[in-house]
Amino acid sequence: ALAPESSVSSWRELVKGVAAACRAADWPLTGWEGCLASDLPAAADVSAAGALTLVVARAFAECAGLPWERAQVARLCQQARLAWGGGEFSLYDVFAQAVAEDRHAVWVDPRGMLSQPVRVPARFAWLLIMDEVPRPRLDAVLLEREAQCRAAARRMRLLALRDMTLTQFTQQAPQLEEGLRRRVRHV
């Protein structure tokens, strides 16, 4: 069979990209038909592309009778997005989506590809707040936050901010400018 050809960046390209990534991973692909609908605005969430790739990968895995290996599929979906989707999402986002369980929060360590479901008590209420930030601005904000985290980690001589201890933060925070100190405190 011929490999799919890439065209203009679109949601359809992600479907083709997942098929190509599955084929590259030696999945025995079979055809399937599906319909996808969503009421989320196109600019609502940068993780929507990750969710779409997971849905498509799940369909291919089910049709091929393959086990759902979450870490492998998360990497495969990230590769599909990078190669076909015209953009990037973090492995953390797609991995967190891949390991999600109904009525659970999830603790995720994307570096070690580890996860642990955390049961949420029934008395908790779920609240989704969506603002009307246009997509280009949201992407710029996320890129700025990522750059701040990398800069702070370098200044604190850490591989990543996740490696920082409270003691390190307390000792080094006074040397950081206010915006960077707030970002590090948040992380």
Side-chain angles (χ1 to χ4, degrees):
L2 296 173
E5 291 183 18
S6 180
S7 62
V8 178
S9 180
S10 72
W11 292 104
R12 286 178 294 227
E13 285 300 293
L14 285 177
V15 175
K16 292 190 314 188
V18 173
C22 290
R23 180 172 294 170
D26 294 325
W27 285 24
L29 296 187
T30 60
W32 55 271
E33 290 185 31
C35 179
L36 179 68
S38 173
D39 61 356
L40 287 176
D45 188 86
V46 294
S47 295
L52 174 63
T53 60
L54 283 168
V55 167
V56 172
R58 187 63 181 245
F60 279 121
E62 290 292 324
C63 289
L66 296 173
W68 187 244
E69 297 186 20
R70 297 165 189 235
Q72 176 199 21
V73 173
R75 287 190 192 282
L76 183 143
C77 289
Q78 184 188 39
Q79 291 165 3
R81 173 66 181 203
L82 289 170
W84 288 72
E88 182 174 354
F89 54 70
S90 77
L91 183 58
Y92 176 84
D93 290 341
V94 75
F95 183 69
Q97 292 169 346
V99 300
E101 291 188 23
D102 190 30
R103 301 189 188 284
H104 287 76
V106 64
W107 170 86
V108 175
D109 175 1
R111 185 185 291 170
M113 300 303 281
L114 304 171
S115 66
Q116 180 69 41
V118 179
R119 184 92 175 137
V120 177
R123 69 180 185 277
F124 278 41
W126 295 96
L127 176 66
L128 173 64
I129 300 174
M130 294 175 53
D131 60 20
E132 295 297 321
V133 177
R135 170 94 181 181
R137 182 171 172 266
L138 183 58
D139 286 345
V141 167
L142 294 175
L143 289 173
E144 178 185 358
R145 289 177 184 173
E146 186 176 314
Q148 287 175 330
C149 290
R150 280 198 301 274
R154 278 193 305 275
R155 287 182 60 185
M156 298 176 84
R157 295 189 174 103
L158 299 168
L159 180 61
L161 288 181
R162 64 175 283 164
D163 299 322
M164 171 184 57
T165 65
L166 184 57
T167 301
Q168 287 172 310
F169 174 74
T170 303
Q171 292 171 346
Q172 296 181 32
Q175 287 99 29
L176 300 173
E177 55 272 5
E178 176 63 22
L180 198 55
R181 181 172 49 251
R182 287 180 31 221
R183 173 68 45 217
V184 172
R185 189 177 119 246
H186 172 77
V187 172

